[in-house]
Amino acid sequence: MTEEFTGAGLGRRAFLTGAATLAASAALWPREMRAAAADRKFAASLGWTTYDSGRHLQDGFNAAVKELGGSLTTTDAGFDARVQSDQIDSLVASKPEALFVTPADAVAIAPAVQRAIAAGIPVFCADSSVPGAMVTTTAMSSNFGMGQYSAEFICKALNGKGKIARVMLPQNESWDQRTLGMEWTLRRYPEIEIVTEWAFALAGNVTPRQAVDNILTSNPDVNAIWCAWDGASVEGTLAARAAGRADLILTGIDGGSQAFNYIAADTPLKLSMAQSFYEMAYASVFYAHEALAGRKTPRLVITPTYAVTHDMLKDGIPDDYDVPGRAGELGWTRAL
């Protein structure tokens, strides 16, 4: 269930019983508002559509527009901030009634987002905030909390003592919060030692697999590797297998079928902090309709995160866990 607070500080819950409730809520609008919603013109500037995260975000935007009304024009920047900035400017020129953004590099695209707002187009962000830009609503996970939780998982698995490495994702402010959350947890575990670390760069020449290969070669006694995203933890699992390190513990952040399959197969990947990407996108469209109808919207929506381990996947690999209401049907409860 999504927790939200309006700008006036009034707590309320829009996602009561899943996607059906969200879609059905449109039927509660006055007839003239429903008619206007059907003709809404939206645009989405997606920082990426690859990986499970990008696919779920795209699916959420498409489903919400289909169910709640409107048309949607979408662009994909492929993790290139310059391309995304140009795409935002082009979408603004088409004069949509609202713009949805999933930032790959939030700082770099902030000027383009600000230009959209200055042009009178309300902006709704999913997965990451854009610093310095007064967007209408941002729907995202608690990145600091996910870093805390996954670090705590490792510390408890090691009984509070051991050597760990970390693979970080400093690409934008939101993703870097995961590392800060991890560091906050480690303050309570003085006998956990970070022996090495590596920061991923989109334009770099070193892949996460190569980085973990190097970590295991130079630190053969490392007990665990904390990864800021599942792409690194999956590639790290392959490196652990190649090094014969079945005892290694890896954790990741994102969720999705690829990471879930590794967790279910009893590999060194033991935990994924599974984000609700579909719900982030759906919430963005929902609140765009609310804002355009003249109703209050929350400045920030923290969508659910599920701490997925082996036992949660014993009945299968759910690809739709982040559709509102589906996690409850699976018997999952949110960790954050």
Side-chain angles (χ1 to χ4, degrees):
M1 202 172 286
T2 298
E3 295 179 356
E4 57 200 35
F5 298 90
T6 65
L10 177 64
R12 58 186 180 134
R13 296 178 184 270
F15 300 97
L16 298 176
T17 56
T21 299
L22 275 175
S25 66
L28 302 177
W29 298 345
R31 180 171 298 177
E32 63 274 12
M33 289 185 178
R34 282 185 279 146
D39 296 327
R40 297 289 189 200
K41 180 182 176 182
F42 299 121
S45 171
L46 306 183
W48 72 100
T49 58
T50 53
Y51 309 114
D52 286 331
S53 59
R55 177 171 56 85
H56 283 219
L57 284 162
Q58 189 172 36
D59 288 348
F61 282 122
N62 288 333
V65 170
K66 180 179 179 180
E67 293 168 12
L68 301 178
S71 62
L72 181 66
T73 299
T74 302
T75 60
D76 176 7
F79 287 110
D80 189 316
R82 180 190 59 78
V83 170
Q84 187 168 22
S85 293
D86 291 343
Q87 290 174 341
I88 288 173
D89 288 335
S90 295
L91 291 172
V92 168
S94 71
K95 301 187 185 308
E97 293 182 69
L99 174 65
F100 309 122
V101 178
T102 59
D105 188 334
V107 173
I109 69 166
V113 172
Q114 290 170 333
R115 288 193 294 272
I117 295 170
I121 298 173
V123 176
F124 299 80
C125 288
D127 184 57
S128 176
S129 61
V130 176
M134 291 297 291
V135 305
T136 302
T137 296
T138 298
M140 61 187 292
S141 304
S142 172
N143 285 284
F144 188 90
M146 291 189 296
Q148 284 183 295
Y149 193 106
S150 52
E152 183 83 21
F153 180 92
I154 287 175
C155 292
K156 288 182 176 179
L158 298 179
N159 295 315
K161 184 176 182 179
K163 296 181 178 181
I164 67 174
R166 60 182 182 179
V167 179
M168 303 175 293
L169 187 63
Q171 187 67 31
N172 65 47
E173 182 180 22
S174 292
W175 297 345
D176 195 45
Q177 293 291 316
R178 302 171 187 179
T179 299
L180 296 178
M182 182 255 198
E183 292 172 347
W184 183 258
T185 292
L186 292 186
R187 293 175 183 273
R188 295 186 287 106
Y189 292 91
E191 294 187 90
I192 296 290
E193 177 188 1
I194 299 177
V195 295
T196 190
E197 62 185 27
W198 177 71
F200 177 69
L202 286 173
N205 295 321
V206 179
T207 67
R209 168 63 193 270
Q210 292 168 332
V212 178
D213 281 334
N214 293 338
I215 287 171
L216 295 178
T217 298
S218 58
N219 299 273
D221 58 346
V222 70
N223 304 116
I225 302 178
W226 177 92
C227 298
W229 80 108
D230 277 342
S233 64
V234 166
E235 292 191 35
T237 298
L238 298 176
R241 281 179 170 175
R245 288 297 312 274
D247 61 319
L248 194 67
I249 299 170
L250 288 106
T251 63
I253 293 172
D254 277 338
S257 57
Q258 184 183 39
F260 293 168
N261 272 293
Y262 279 89
I263 293 170
D266 277 328
T267 70
L269 180 51
K270 302 301 182 184
L271 170 76
S272 174
M273 300 302 295
Q275 303 184 72
S276 297
F277 294 109
Y278 184 106
E279 187 166 334
M280 293 176 197
Y282 206 114
S284 296
V285 178
F286 178 83
Y287 283 117
H289 279 296
E290 289 287 281
L292 292 170
R295 290 188 282 274
K296 290 182 179 180
T297 63
R299 183 73 64 190
L300 176 65
V301 176
I302 299 299
T303 49
T305 299
Y306 305 96
V308 178
T309 56
H310 179 270
D311 288 347
M312 295 169 65
L313 302 171
K314 59 185 178 181
D315 295 326
I317 307 299
D319 192 48
D320 59 350
Y321 73 93
D322 57 346
V323 173
R326 178 59 176 145
E329 295 173 357
L330 294 168
W332 294 8
T333 56
R334 64 185 295 173
L336 299 170

